[in-house]
Amino acid sequence: MATSNRIAEIAAAVGEPARAAMLAALMDGRALTATELAGVATITAQTASGHLARLGSVGLITVEKQGRHRYHSLASAEVARMIESVMQIAGGVSLSRSPPRVGPRDTDLRHARTCYDHLAGALGVSITDALRASGAVEIQGDAALLSASGLERMQALGILHHGGEPRSIRPVCRPCLDWSERRMHLAGALGAAICSHALAQAWVRRRPGTRALEITPAGRIGFRRAFGVEEVAATVAFRP
């Protein structure tokens, strides 16, 4: 139950220019580091860490540690709606500077690459978005679930075989925070199977000396038919 003290606590956390700028920067759904958010708010990384701790203490942001980095994102859709409402009341003026550029500068790596044994980059994230939109995969927090309809679909496509991987101890699917997109792509047995299938069907080709992948003409058709993913110039999108 909301109390006046709780409302005042949240309002005070939002009502500071640097924190407001950082919250606005997270509105596009990406997860950002403290250094990136410090740049948005034009403050030092040390000062940003204090502000982020304050936002986390009132439940406005969450933190996910991956490797040596800590990535910050809005805690929920409810928080995003609150920030959006405040921005509308403020006159629709953006609270932050241009969004920070994240991930590799190499366009090919940003477009499509492997992340260990699964697809990443714009391609991997778009496939994940498409699977979530169709109800084939559900993602909540750091857990993911392949639905019954999703399993049937993957089996029909020949991506997963009947019986799955009974001897494997790895999860069927799990979310993995994408390095360049800063949104989730799929890892686990399903992510690996999709990558293996794409390589076997020559939908993608490995680029020598790099983790970058090239989407082939057959891949443009295959990804569209299998997942509803469309390749547009140097970006990837999906049709819900």
Side-chain angles (χ1 to χ4, degrees), residues 84-185:
E84 185 176 24
S85 296
V86 172
M87 293 172 73
Q88 289 174 347
I89 294 171
V93 178
S94 175
L95 300 180
S96 65
R97 296 184 173 185
S98 299
R101 182 180 178 86
V102 298
R105 293 183 178 275
D106 188 322
T107 301
D108 291 337
L109 280 173
R110 299 177 70 86
H111 192 200
R113 65 180 184 277
T114 54
C115 177
Y116 182 47
D117 62 355
H118 52 272
L119 297 176
L123 175 63
V125 170
S126 293
I127 291 173
T128 303
D129 287 345
L131 290 175
R132 295 180 72 178
S134 69
V137 169
E138 299 175 17
I139 295 179
Q140 186 171 13
D142 59 356
L145 173 70
L146 177 65
S147 67
S149 63
L151 176 59
E152 291 179 3
R153 180 178 169 189
M154 294 301 104
Q155 290 174 339
L157 290 169
I159 292 174
L160 288 180
H161 301 291
H162 290 274
E165 296 187 3
R167 298 178 183 176
S168 176
I169 61 173
R170 72 189 305 187
V172 173
C173 58
R174 65 175 181 82
C176 181
L177 185 62
D178 194 88
W179 173 36
S180 55
E181 297 297 300
R182 299 297 174 85
R183 295 189 296 119
M184 296 298 180
H185 62 240

Side-chain angles (χ1 to χ4, degrees), residues 29-80:
R30 296 184 301 171
L32 301 174
T33 65
T35 299
E36 290 162 346
L37 289 167
V40 166
T42 62
I43 56 178
T44 66
Q46 183 176 4
T47 301
S49 294
H51 284 312
L52 290 168
R54 175 72 181 278
L55 293 172
S57 70
V58 296
L60 295 180
I61 64 171
T62 58
V63 183
E64 178 173 343
K65 187 174 181 180
Q66 189 158 302
R68 60 189 180 88
H69 295 293
R70 291 165 59 88
Y71 295 96
H72 304 78
S73 57
L74 296 182
S76 66
E78 288 76 15
V79 173

